[in-house]
């Protein structure tokens, strides 16, 4: 293992590493080996860019789908986890607001928690990671006022943002910690304050989840302003948030929240105006992600048949369009779209999306 920055071949989103997920799900292990060799030919990152979607953690996620993770890979991931936990603890001790990259799904502790939760036996470092995510539920001081503990001083683009923002989406926002904490509860893994944190995040999203992110002006308003029309997807928007809310409801035994989450998915994905804003077939922000999301929402619903017409419609849209995707990869390319078309999850690959 090295800490050298390497090409995007080891990037789960767009590189060869992500493409191997499709090979493994199809049991095409010879092609998977070629993609894995391509991904790792110049080493595997354990540096600051290592995350569920890049470097050693991404490699473990893929190899685990084929039951092929070695102790050396796990040890490398454990070093990444230790470094990220140490950085989070230093930031907490300094009383500073976090950056999204500390804790989100794509780059941060939420993604690492998802990976550790999928280990068998479950990783001993997982409680420490969950505790860091739980700590986000505690208010923090910043900008001269009390703010949600996950508030970031920089905007979604990584640049300074007046008043900062609270990100709400599944990929980069608080829906990610909500989902992974809920999945952990359902798996029987909990730390002090975890149920309360799930409640805090879920209640925030009840109020603010119609927006991709919340601003200081939203905090000052009696009610957040009505959200502008926007593309609805897994990564940003109400469908991804609704799945996180459904997982929270299942973890806490809250049938009213579960029904509300399921109603949201049905309402959005039967609205022609909202559907018209979806312009591609990707997992991240297109038909493939919505199809996978709706399947798991239906599977966890007491009335799954209500989603059958939606699933059929999403499948038709995906089947008609996926080959037009210019990229070959997982999150924004043809490999991810094909995984959704296959309609299988025998390897547990959907854990990377926090769907199940």
């Amino acid at each position: 293992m090295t800490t050298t920055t390497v090409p995007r071949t080891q990037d789960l989103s767009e590189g060869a590493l992500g493409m191997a997920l499709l090979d493994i799900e199809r049991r095409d292990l010879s092609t998977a080996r070629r993609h894995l060799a391509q991904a790792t030919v110049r080493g595997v990152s354990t540096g600051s860019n290592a995350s569920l979607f890049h470097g050693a953690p991404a490699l473990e996620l893929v190899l685990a789908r084929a039951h092929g993770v070695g102790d050396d890979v796990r040890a490398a991931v454990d070093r990444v986890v230790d470094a990220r936990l140490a950085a989070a603890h230093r930031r907490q001790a300094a009383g500073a607001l976090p950056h999204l990259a500390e804790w989100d799904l794509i780059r941060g502790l939420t993604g690492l928690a998802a990976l550790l939760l999928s280990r068998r036996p479950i990783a001993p470092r997982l409680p420490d990671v969950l505790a860091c995510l739980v700590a986000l539920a505690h208010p923090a001081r910043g900008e001269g006022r009390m703010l949600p503990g996950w508030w970031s001083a920089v905007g979604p683009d990584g640049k300074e943002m007046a008043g900062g923002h609270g990100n709400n989406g599944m990929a980069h926002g608080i829906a990610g910690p909500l989902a992974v904490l809920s999945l952990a509860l359902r798996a029987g893994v909990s730390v002090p304050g975890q149920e309360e944190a799930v409640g805090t995040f879920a209640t925030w999203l009840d109020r603010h989840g119609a927006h991709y992110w919340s601003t200081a002006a939203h905090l000052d308003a009696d009610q957040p302003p009505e959200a502008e029309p926007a593309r609805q997807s897994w990564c940003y928007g109400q469908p991804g948030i609704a799945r996180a809310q459904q997982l929270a409801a299942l973890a806490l035994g809250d049938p009213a929240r579960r029904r509300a989450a399921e109603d949201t998915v049905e309402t959005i994905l039967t609205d022609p105006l909202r559907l018209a804003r979806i312009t591609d077939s990707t997992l991240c922000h297109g038909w493939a992600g919505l199809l996978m999301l709706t399947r798991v929402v239906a599977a966890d619903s007491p009335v799954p048949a209500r989603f059958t017409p939606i699933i059929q419609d999403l499948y038709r849209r995906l089947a008609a369009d996926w080959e037009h995707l210019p990229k070959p990869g997982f999150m924004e390319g043809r490999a991810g779209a094909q995984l959704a078309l296959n309609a299988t999850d025998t390897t547990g690959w959907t854990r990377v999306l926090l769907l199940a």
Side-chain angles (χ1 to χ4, degrees), residues 97 100 103 143 145 147-157 159 161-169 172-175 200-221 223-228 236-238 241:
L97 293 172
L100 299 184
W103 56 264
E143 306 287 338
R145 64 190 297 178
L147 295 165
W150 62 92
W151 201 261
S152 175
V154 301
D157 59 0
K159 298 178 182 178
M161 180 178 182
H165 86 296
N167 204 288
N168 298 324
H172 295 292
I174 201 61
T200 295
F201 301 152
T203 301
W204 169 271
L205 291 170
D206 290 340
R207 179 178 172 85
H208 296 276
H211 294 266
Y212 279 9
W213 53 79
S214 302
T215 67
H218 293 184
L219 296 180
D220 295 331
Q223 288 292 331
E226 185 174 349
E228 295 290 331
Y236 270 115
Q238 290 175 283
I241 290 171

Side-chain angles (χ1 to χ4, degrees), residues 23-70:
D23 306 326
I24 295 168
E25 184 68 20
R26 288 177 164 177
R27 299 183 182 178
D28 182 359
L29 297 186
S30 62
T31 304
R33 291 187 190 99
R34 289 198 295 273
H35 278 136
L36 287 165
Q38 180 185 351
T40 59
V41 66
R42 294 180 61 184
V44 179
S45 176
T46 58
S48 60
N49 64 349
S51 67
L52 180 62
F53 278 77
H54 189 84
L59 178 62
E60 178 181 337
L61 184 282
V62 174
L63 290 175
R65 302 315 102 196
H67 307 288
V69 183

Side-chain angles (χ1 to χ4, degrees), residues 115-160:
L115 176 62
L116 297 179
L117 184 60
S118 70
R119 284 188 185 176
R120 293 294 179 270
I122 290 171
R125 284 171 173 79
L126 178 59
D128 291 336
V129 178
L130 296 179
C132 271
L133 296 176
V134 166
L136 296 173
H138 303 151
R141 179 164 291 280
E143 306 287 338
R145 64 190 297 178
M146 295 307 294
L147 295 165
W150 62 92
W151 201 261
S152 175
V154 301
D157 59 0
K159 298 178 182 178
E160 288 292 327

Side-chain angles (χ1 to χ4, degrees), residues 245-262:
Q245 291 275 41
Q246 187 193 37
L247 288 170
L250 294 167
L252 299 180
D254 186 343
R257 182 174 299 281
R258 179 189 51 73
R259 284 193 298 272
E262 294 168 12

Side-chain angles (χ1 to χ4, degrees), residues 170 178-180 182-183 186 198 241-252 261 300 354-356:
M170 182 72 93
L178 175 61
V180 80
S182 299
L183 287 167
R186 296 186 75 194
V198 167
I241 290 171
R243 175 54 178 169
Q245 291 275 41
Q246 187 193 37
L247 288 170
L250 294 167
L252 299 180
D300 281 332
L354 288 183
L355 291 179

